[in-house]
Amino acid sequence: MRRCWGVAIGLLVTPAAWAQEPATRTIQVTGAGVVQTPPDVAMLNIWLRGEGTTPDAATGDLAAKQKAVAAGLAGFLGGDSDLTTGNVTVIQARGKACEDGRGYNSTPRLSAGDCTVTGYIATMQSAVRTHRVDKAATAAGLASRLGASDARLDGFALSDLDGARARARAAAIGNARRQATALASGAGVRLGPIIRLSDQMGYSPDAGEVRFAASAPPPPPPPPVPPPIQIDAKPRPIETRAQVYVTYAITD
């Protein structure tokens, strides 16, 4: 039995094993960085509604409101604002007597009697993206005045997200070096160069937008209107986070 143990010990201290040991002389740390950047983009969602006794009357009402809102916001926010649109719907409208206990038009019905079509409703959802963060809240009120059925300031963003990420990553790497330096000092060794660096990111891509190109010359500007009610907006800085995994070599 003693011979067997002696052989096992000899195998553990072979020259090849000693040669591999320096590769394990490392310090591994996780660095975190957070930077705060004032937002320079504001995003609004606007809903428009047109009504009429015929589909053309409803869509015509909707188109008139769309032009009024678009022209008014462009004049108030400036030319760098981007107006896009999403869903457009045109639906039939029936009287209240057509409802049943399970909800409006829950089962197919003929358009007769209580369910006779009395008109049409056209709706459109639009979005506004603007760099005039200071005017964004006021713009929501202006859109409502010009015909929007619902206008909301939905949030803020950064136009240079990559720059914010780069600053957060640099902060995370600096945090990792400070941690590794402290560990090396406490262990009585010298910190060597980085031998491995990885970045962990969990950002979601921005949703795409559908852009509308005007097929006709823009309409003439609307007549002067009283200035909109001023609503002050002061958004919080946007936090951008980064996390890195760093392995440093230990030098003698």
Side-chain angles (χ1 to χ4, degrees):
M1 292 298 294
R2 291 181 180 178
R3 291 182 180 178
C4 294
W5 280 110
V7 172
I9 294 173
L11 291 175
L12 289 174
V13 295
T14 58
W18 281 108
Q20 294 177 0
E21 185 177 349
T24 64
R25 292 171 55 80
T26 61
I27 293 178
Q28 298 179 356
V29 294
T30 300
V34 181
V35 297
Q36 293 187 336
T37 310
D40 59 349
V41 175
M43 296 167 291
L44 296 92
N45 275 321
I46 297 172
W47 286 262
L48 301 169
R49 177 186 175 101
E51 300 180 5
T53 56
T54 66
D56 286 348
T59 55
D61 185 29
L62 177 68
K65 291 176 180 176
Q66 180 195 24
K67 291 178 180 179
V69 171
L73 291 181
F76 180 66
L77 295 173
D80 64 340
S81 299
D82 189 19
L83 177 65
T84 62
T85 188
N87 298 329
V88 178
T89 62
V90 182
I91 62 174
Q92 297 175 337
R94 294 172 171 81
K96 185 176 179 60
C98 189
E99 297 180 10
D100 61 21
R102 291 171 292 177
Y104 185 81
N105 284 347
S106 59
T107 57
R109 301 187 184 192
L110 295 176
S111 299
D114 290 340
C115 292
T116 298
V117 175
T118 58
Y120 293 83
I121 300 172
T123 60
M124 172 187 291
Q125 182 179 357
S126 298
V128 177
R129 187 179 178 92
T130 178
H131 290 286
R132 294 307 309 265
V133 174
D134 58 324
K135 289 187 172 183
T138 304
L142 177 60
S144 295
R145 176 204 286 184
L146 296 174
S149 60
D150 193 339
R152 306 179 186 183
L153 173 56
D154 272 348
F156 301 92
L158 300 176
S159 59
D160 185 16
L161 183 56
D162 288 339
R165 289 173 177 170
R167 294 192 300 274
R169 193 178 300 115
I173 294 173
N175 175 257
R177 175 165 288 278
R178 289 190 295 273
Q179 294 183 62
T181 301
L183 288 172
S185 176
V189 297
R190 288 195 305 167
L191 190 67
I194 294 175
I195 60 176
R196 176 177 292 180
L197 172 63
S198 61
D199 185 8
Q200 182 184 24
M201 298 174 61
Y203 302 103
S204 300
D206 294 334
E209 294 180 340
V210 179
R211 298 176 180 270
F212 270 72
S215 58
V225 295
I229 302 300
Q230 179 70 34
I231 303 175
D232 294 330
K234 186 178 180 181
R236 294 181 299 176
I238 294 178
E239 288 190 351
T240 306
R241 299 177 178 271
Q243 183 169 289
V244 295
Y245 301 104
V246 189
T247 302
Y248 291 91
I250 294 176
T251 58
D252 294 329

